[in-house]
């Protein structure tokens, strides 16, 4: 148990940055969604880590993670539904092309 | 809470809203609208009778039927209600105009249900405003009355309606912004150091703890805020466009009642709570309102659209209301309230008639009509009566109001007030010019357009609406002392001791 | 006096107005006419009872028998609108000599006109004029308002009814509302008098502000017993003192009281068509002729004279205001008489004659001073008001009969009618003799008193007014000859020969002619004086007026009148080239007179060019473009601004994240820098 917290935090940071990078650069909505998931998961892991290292006797961080996972699942389902509907309507899920509902 | 009679002025419209939402078919909608407004009229007459009885019994607190229920305790916001003679006069005016407005929009098309929903929501705001004595609640109701205007004009209006609706709403909202600032300012100075702050008008007036420096800042804020709605020069330009585009009933309610919110607010908030600043800063606003009076009248002389003429005439007449309020003496202020009543009724009559004429001829341009007296004698005669009321024929309401104002204004003996009083007096001549110009062009003379010959005269609901208004106009004109007594008691000596008012 | 009769005098016409106005369409024309006549007839009888009781009963409420002074009696006075504790508009009934006199005049003429209209308002086939019921309703409204005006107990009540007579005059002038000229005339009449009323109103405000009362009794009289007042010069002096001791007793060189009185007189100028506010009266002839007889000859137009007479003790306080009244009156009298000499439309001649005669009354008031023959000018003015009402109504009704028979207003279509319409001819002649001032007709006596009063004040104005009296005789006989003589009447193609009208129309003519013959013998000096004192305390007889004549003045004025009539006879009795020669000899003068000295054009210029185009239009433009432009400008600026920065709101989530990241990094950087 002498692995320092930093060894966990660096991979999650990398994961998170990958997520941001993906979210900014990809135009495909599915890819963007995956990026968001990546960010979320990075945060989830962080929660667990902080809980484990900083407040060993408590379970709030774990519970939050479970919560976040559940919500992320729901959100993903919703997002996928929207994307599928958009695809049906536009035959395209490239964000830069979907400007129909702009001002 | 429901034992206080005043609360029903808000409850009835809310119930009406619910009933309207459930309505199917024109008939049900009309029934709800008419029943509801009749109930409101009955209620206001009941309140009036009770009020007179209580006054006769010697109760001389400034407000009667008071009640207060906490709404948001941390900021001490209450739903505080209470009325005096002025509010009762305004309540009666509002209910009469709501009733006649419902009759005037008997055949509103399209979306009748939605139209009445918004209209009733608007009147909820109006009634709520007049019964509130809590600044915050008052402001809330004020906003409730303003917002539906946007949709009512935007959806059911005519002509350049989007522009007008937007302009009207934005300008009035701009006024509200000033007002909000002013009200919050008043709130933070509503009580002496250490005592709990309050929004209640009566308490604020009693504390009179707003120091002079702040009054100089807050008085213009509130006066301009309300003045925008009272069509004070130079913030009046929403009025011609707004009225021209609005549907009949909305024009009626707006010119008849909503513009009165401005005058009422100026009196109830700006002057009532900050009398010192009022005495010292009155001259600025006297100049503005004095300009309003003649400026509106002169502008009305050259308009060709009936509604524009009437809107400018409203600028002139409402200018006279604010003008009289600023004279800061009992007679002139009584005149101001009379003028509000009078203008409310006769301008509602005007807009109702214009709506009816427009509904038949499909034009409001007086150069494209003529000789309507031969085609629709009933409407034409009503128009002449409305015109006569507007130019101040004795026996109709305009005369008593204007004369009270002029006599009151003349009580100031200095040159500045004299000059402006005489300038305001001149408006009676200019008013005669533009009224007779319309009467001559529109009603008299040969028939201009032969297509108009087949048009029909008023239907029964239109007759009901106009007759009700004419009876009220003539009632005030013939028995003014009743209203004067009702109003005058409000100016009890303690309240205006600080003004040194007679 | 019981309250019932006086109240009924006001209530009956009002009730008739409401009845005929609201239910007129439901009843037949004849029914409406008969109802109207009945109502007015009853009112007339009641007014006679009230007036005669006032004048002749000797009741101590009405007359102080020992002092030979008539009193003012307040029959009732109820609060109507209270401004302050002192300034209260009351509606009441004040019975005093002038009010009683006017009650008689108004109800008599009004009844005659009601009767006459039964015949006048239908065509030759007996078909009723359209809107006949409306006509009667308006007549009743007018009678009500006029009666309310003369019995007013306070100046504001007077103003109220003043406005009401203005409105009913508007409605009646515009009775033929299909005719654009009638509509224009009605509008003009209303607006011009309204402008004058502005002065009246301001005058009232000024007067009442300082005096602290609207009541005539408090302005000019003192109370004897409850309800009975006596005209008292001291009250007026008190008022003057109040003005003199106020904070600002003068304004622009004249005292405030003078200003107030002159402004009030301005109201009178408007209603009584004094120059320069006379322009509406000639045009008002667009109304039906009975209306002209009632409103624009006999009753409403003398309201201005009545107003000055009502406040006469106050006017006495300010000589300057009386001088102004004299000058305005004298100029108007001359001007109107000149114009009347050239007009073609017979109603216009009569209209200008009316203006001129009312000016006589004004001058008479202007020159009246208590120290000269108990203020004979005042008495003469009211006397002339009374006689003039009778003979001028007669002349107008005759003109109506002529117009009805011929179908035109111009004498050029008439000529030589004496054989065709004998009754009209004789009655018209009586009217002319009366107005020309030939003994023993009514006008002689009243005009003679006026000239006497003028002479007592100033010789210049006496000569001036005598000249005007000569002109009066001239233009009236010019009119008379041109209508009834000049040349043989040519019956137009397809028309019947003109003939006298039905009895409903001739009866009023005969009655009024009879009154015009004898009205001069009414001993007015004992009935109407400025302070109620009887002029002949020793008692009166039928010949009192004759005996009291100042024979120098009388002879001069008679001579002037006869000379003028002779000139008119020479010029106009038979067709001859003399008038045309005269016209050619003085073309400029004739043009100016014929075009009424271009007053209308001047007013047109002022209203159309200066006020409408020079004030109204720029203001409307200013409103739309500058004021509204500023408001729109705010909107436009806001709009532009938001367009300028809307690039940030691309709607592209990825760009937002970039900005977010930059923000976070910047914040982090700043925090780091701060911490370091």
């Amino acid at each position: 148990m002498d692995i320092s917290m930093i060894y966990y935090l660096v991979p999650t940071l990398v994961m998170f940055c990958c997520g941001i990078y993906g979210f900014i650069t990809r135009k495909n909505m599915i890819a963007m969604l995956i990026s968001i998931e990546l960010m979320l998961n990075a945060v989830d892991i962080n929660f667990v880590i902080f809980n484990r290292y900083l407040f060993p006797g408590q379970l709030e961080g774990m519970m939050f993670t479970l919560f976040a996972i559940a919500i992320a699942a729901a959100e993903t389902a919703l997002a996928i539904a929207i994307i599928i509907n958009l695809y049906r309507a536009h035959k395209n899920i490239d964000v830069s092309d979907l400007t129909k509902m702009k001002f | 809470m429901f034992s206080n009679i005043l609360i029903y002025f808000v409850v009835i419209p809310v119930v009406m809203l619910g009933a309207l939402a459930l309505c199917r078919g024109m008939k049900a909608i009309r029934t709800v609208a008419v029943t509801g407004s009749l109930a409101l009229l009955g209620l206001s007459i009941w309140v009036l009778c009770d009020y007179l009885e209580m006054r006769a019994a010697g109760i001389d607190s400034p407000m009667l039927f008071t009640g207060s229920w906490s709404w948001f305790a941390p900021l001490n916001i209450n739903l505080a209600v209470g009325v005096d003679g002025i509010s009762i006069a305004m309540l009666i005016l509002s209910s009469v105009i709501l009733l006649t407005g419902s009759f005037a929009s008997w055949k509103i098309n399209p979306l009748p249900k939605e139209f009445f929903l918004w209209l009733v929501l608007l009147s909820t705001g109006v009634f709520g405003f007049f019964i509130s004595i809590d600044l915050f609640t008052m402001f809330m109701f004020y906003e409730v009355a303003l917002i539906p205007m946007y949709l009512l004009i935007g959806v059911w209006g005519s002509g350049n309606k989007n522009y007008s609706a937007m302009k009207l709403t934005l300008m009035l909202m701009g006024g509200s912004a000033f007002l909000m600032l002013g009200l919050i300012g008043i709130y933070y100075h509503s009580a002496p150091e250490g005592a709990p702050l309050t929004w209640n008008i009566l308490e604020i007036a009693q504390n009179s703890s707003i120091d002079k420096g702040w009054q100089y800042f807050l008085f213009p804020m509130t006066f301009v805020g309300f003045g925008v709605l009272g069509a004070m020069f130079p913030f009046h330009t929403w009025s011609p466009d707004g009225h021209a585009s609005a549907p009949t009933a909305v024009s009626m309610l707006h010119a008849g009642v909503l513009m009165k919110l401005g005058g009422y607010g100026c009196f109830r908030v700006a002057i009532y709570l900050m009398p010192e600043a009022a005495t010292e800063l009155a001259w600025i606003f006297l100049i503005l309102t004095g300009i309003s009076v003649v400026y509106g009248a002169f502008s009305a002389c050259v308009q060709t659209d009936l509604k524009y003429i009437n809107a400018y005439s409203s600028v002139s007449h409402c200018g006279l209301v604010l003008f009289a309020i600023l004279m800061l003496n009992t007679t002139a202020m009584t005149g101001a309230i009379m003028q509000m009543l009078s203008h409310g009724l006769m301008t509602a009559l005007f807009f109702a008639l214009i709506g009816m004429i427009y509904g038949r001829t499909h034009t409001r341009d007086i150069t494209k009509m003529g000789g309507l007296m031969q085609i629709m004698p009933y409407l034409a005669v009503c128009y002449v009566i409305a015109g006569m009321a507007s130019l101040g024929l004795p026996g109709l309401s305009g005369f008593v109001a204007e004369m009270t104002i002029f006599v009151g204004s003349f009580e100031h003996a200095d040159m500045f007030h004299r000059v402006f009083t005489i300038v305001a007096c001149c408006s009676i001549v200019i008013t005669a010019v533009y009224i007779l110009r319309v009467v001559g062009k529109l009603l008299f003379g040969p028939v201009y357009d032969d297509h108009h010959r087949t048009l029909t005269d008023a239907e029964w609901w239109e007759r009901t609406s106009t007759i009700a208004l004419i009876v009220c106009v003539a009632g005030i004109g013939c028995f003014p002392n009743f209203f004067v007594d009702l109003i005058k008691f409000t100016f009890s000596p303690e309240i205006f001791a600080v003004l040194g008012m007679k | 006096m019981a309250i019932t009769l006086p109240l009924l005098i006001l209530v009956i016409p009002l009730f008739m107005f409401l009845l005929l106005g609201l239910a007129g369409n439901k009843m037949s024309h004849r029914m409406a006419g008969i109802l109207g006549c009945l109502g007015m007839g009853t009112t007339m009888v009641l007014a006679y009872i009230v007036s005669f009781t006032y004048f002749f009963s000797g009741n101590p409420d009405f007359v102080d028998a020992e002092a030979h002074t008539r009193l003012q009696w307040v029959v009732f006075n109820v609060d109507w609108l209270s401004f302050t504790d002192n300034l209260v508009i009351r509606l009441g009934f004040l019975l005093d000599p002038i009010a009683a006199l006017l009650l008689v005049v108004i109800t008599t003429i009004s009844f005659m006109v009601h009767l006459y209209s039964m015949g006048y308002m239908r065509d030759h086939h007996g078909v009723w004029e359209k809107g006949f019921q409306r006509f009667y309703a308006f007549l009743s409204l007018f009678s009500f308002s006029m009666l309310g005006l003369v019995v007013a107990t306070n100046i504001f009540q007077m103003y109220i009814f003043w406005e009401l007579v203005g409105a009913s005059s508007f409605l009646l002038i515009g009775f033929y509302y299909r005719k654009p000229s009638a509509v224009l005339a009605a509008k003009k009449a209303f607006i011009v008098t309204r402008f004058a009323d502005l002065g009246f109103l301001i005058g009232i405000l000024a007067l009442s502000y300082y005096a602290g009362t609207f009541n005539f009794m408090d302005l000019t009289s003192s109370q004897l017993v409850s309800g009975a007042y006596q005209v008292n010069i001291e009250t007026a002096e008190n008022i003057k003192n109040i003005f003199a001791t106020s904070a600002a007793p003068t304004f622009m060189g004249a005292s405030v009281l003078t200003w107030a009185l002159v402004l009030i007189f301005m109201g009178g100028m408007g209603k009584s068509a004094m120059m320069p506010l006379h322009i509406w009266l000639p045009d008002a002839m667009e109304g039906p002729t009975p209306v002209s007889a009632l409103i624009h000859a006999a009753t409403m137009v003398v309201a201005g004279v009545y107003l000055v007479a009502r406040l006469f003790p106050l006017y006495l306080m300010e000589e300057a205001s009386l001088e102004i009244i004299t000058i305005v009156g004298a100029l108007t009298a001359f001007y109107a008489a000149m114009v009347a000499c050239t007009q073609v439309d017979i109603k216009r001649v009569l209209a200008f004659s009316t203006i001129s005669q009312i000016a006589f009354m004004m001058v008479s008031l202007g020159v009246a001073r208590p120290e000269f023959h108990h203020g004979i000018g005042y008495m003469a003015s009211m006397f002339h008001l009374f006689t003039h009402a009778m003979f001028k109504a007669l002349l107008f009704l005759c003109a109506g009969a002529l117009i009805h028979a011929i179908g035109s207003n111009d004498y050029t279509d008439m000529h030589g009618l004496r054989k065709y319409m004998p009754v009209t001819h004789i009655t018209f002649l009586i009217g002319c003799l009366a107005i020309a001032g030939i003994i023993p007709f009514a006008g002689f006596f009243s005009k003679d008193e006026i000239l006497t009063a003028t002479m007592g004040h100033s010789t210049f104005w006496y000569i001036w007014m005598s000249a005007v009296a000569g002109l009066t005789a001239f233009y009236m006989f010019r009119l008379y000859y041109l209508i009834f003589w000049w040349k043989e009447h040519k019956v137009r193609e397809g028309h019947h020969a003109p003939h006298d009208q039905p009895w409903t129309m001739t009866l009023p003519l005969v009655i009024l002619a009879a009154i015009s013959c004898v009205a001069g013998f009414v001993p007015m000096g004992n009935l109407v004086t400025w302070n109620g004192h009887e002029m002949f305390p020793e008692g009166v007889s039928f010949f009192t007026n004759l005996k009291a004549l100042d024979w120098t003045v009388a002879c001069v004025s008679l001579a002037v009148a006869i000379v003028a009539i002779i000139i008119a006879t020479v010029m106009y009795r038979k067709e001859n080239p003399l008038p045309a020669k005269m016209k050619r000899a003085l073309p400029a003068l004739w043009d100016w007179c014929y075009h009424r000295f271009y007053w209308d054009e001047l007013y047109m210029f002022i209203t159309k060019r200066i006020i409408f185009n020079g004030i109204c239009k720029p203001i409307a433009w200013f409103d739309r473009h500058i004021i509204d432009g500023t408001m729109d400008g705010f909107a436009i600026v806001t709009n532009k601004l938001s367009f300028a920065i809307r690039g940030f709101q691309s709607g592209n989530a990825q760009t937002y994240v970039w900005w977010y990241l930059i923000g976070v990094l910047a914040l982090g950087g700043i925090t780091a820098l701060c911490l370091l």
Side-chain angles (χ1 to χ4, degrees), chain B residues 370-423:
Chain B
L372 294 188
M373 186 66 95
Q374 296 167 52
I375 300 162
M376 28 188 121
Y378 176 82
L379 290 180
V381 167
C382 290
Y383 202 98
V384 172
I385 294 176
M388 289 291 168
S390 180
L391 59 77
L393 186 74
L396 301 171
S397 58
F399 177 80
V400 286
E402 281 172 5
M403 291 309 133
T404 319
I405 290 175
F406 295 149
V407 171
S409 310
F410 217 81
E411 281 177 21
H412 291 271
D414 59 301
M415 193 53 104
F416 173 76
H417 284 92
R418 277 287 141 81
V419 168
F420 272 91
T421 307
I422 289 169
V423 166

Side-chain angles (χ1 to χ4, degrees), chain C residues 294-625:
Chain C
L294 174 62
I295 302 185
H296 306 120
T299 54
M300 186 187 84
V301 287
V302 297
V305 181
Y306 185 78
L307 174 63
V308 176
R310 194 33 102 205
L311 290 173
F312 186 68
L314 279 182
Y315 278 97
L316 275 181
M317 292 299 108
E318 296 289 344
E319 286 276 319
S321 57
L322 282 179
E323 286 304 325
I324 290 173
I325 292 175
T326 314
I327 293 168
V328 168
L331 290 178
T332 310
F334 184 69
Y335 159 80
M338 290 289 284
V339 174
C341 292
T342 58
Q343 297 301 304
V344 173
D345 182 330
I346 60 172
K347 280 181 79 178
R348 293 211 170 204
V349 177
L350 292 178
F352 278 103
S353 154
T354 307
I355 296 176
S356 176
Q357 295 299 307
I358 296 167
F360 263 91
M361 302 174 208
M362 282 292 186
V363 171
S364 180
L365 281 176
V367 299
R369 296 290 183 279
E371 52 277 7
F372 184 71
H373 281 290
H374 309 291
I376 190 177
Y378 181 93
M379 183 281 276
S381 172
M382 290 298 116
F383 196 6
H384 198 57
L385 190 159
F386 170 63
T387 56
H388 172 258
M390 298 302 163
F391 61 67
K392 190 49 72 62
L394 167 66
L395 287 168
F396 263 108
L397 293 184
C398 285
L402 292 165
I403 291 165
H404 200 242
I406 303 295
S408 158
N409 278 10
D410 294 352
Y411 63 64
T412 45
D413 296 327
M414 296 175 182
H415 298 317
L417 282 176
R418 66 187 180 283
K419 287 179 203 142
Y420 297 92
M421 305 174 73
V423 180
T424 316
H425 172 219
I426 299 297
T427 47
F428 195 88
L429 179 60
I430 292 174
C432 287
L433 289 170
I435 195 173
I438 300 298
I439 198 163
F441 297 97
F444 168 74
F445 292 96
S446 52
K447 200 172 281 180
D448 188 69
E449 307 280 14
I450 291 180
L451 292 175
T452 312
T454 316
M455 178 135 104
H457 184 69
S458 124
T459 321
F460 174 72
W461 289 129
Y462 165 69
I463 295 169
W464 176 283
M465 293 315 283
S466 297
V468 177
L471 270 177
T472 310
F474 172 74
Y475 69 70
M476 280 320 295
F477 274 84
R478 166 181 174 270
L479 184 67
Y480 163 74
Y481 284 121
L482 284 172
I483 293 172
F484 293 103
W485 299 74
W486 189 250
K487 60 183 182 190
E488 283 308 303
H489 182 71
K490 258 199 288 194
V491 177
R492 277 187 295 172
E493 292 283 324
H495 281 72
H496 298 290
H499 54 82
D500 269 323
Q501 301 299 322
W503 71 269
T504 42
M505 287 170 74
T506 41
L507 183 66
L509 296 187
V510 174
I511 297 175
L512 287 173
I515 299 178
S516 300
C517 291
V518 297
F521 294 97
V522 174
M524 203 56 82
N526 251 14
L527 302 178
V528 179
T529 49
W530 76 276
N531 58 358
H533 279 299
E534 293 177 357
M535 281 185 176
F536 315 108
E538 66 281 3
V540 290
S541 71
F542 188 72
F543 298 105
T544 308
N545 282 352
L546 214 50
K547 274 187 242 159
L549 279 182
D550 180 340
W551 280 103
T552 21
V553 176
C555 289
V556 170
S557 71
L558 258 181
V560 169
I562 289 169
V563 168
I565 291 173
I566 289 170
I567 296 174
T569 315
V570 172
M571 282 177 74
Y572 296 105
R573 183 165 178 275
K574 282 225 167 64
E575 193 172 10
N576 69 67
L578 211 56
K581 250 190 223 163
M582 290 269 293
K583 188 169 145 185
R584 274 198 304 277
L586 299 162
L589 182 64
W590 194 89
D591 264 358
W592 275 77
C593 290
Y594 185 73
H595 291 111
R596 304 171 235 154
F597 289 56
Y598 297 98
W599 272 110
D600 288 78
E601 284 75 5
L602 178 67
Y603 271 91
M604 261 317 178
F605 178 77
I606 292 174
T607 51
K608 270 255 152 62
R609 288 287 156 78
I610 297 183
I611 296 182
F612 194 78
N613 285 343
I615 298 179
C616 296
K617 279 197 171 165
I619 283 186
W621 184 89
F622 177 79
D623 188 63
R624 285 284 90 183
H625 294 92

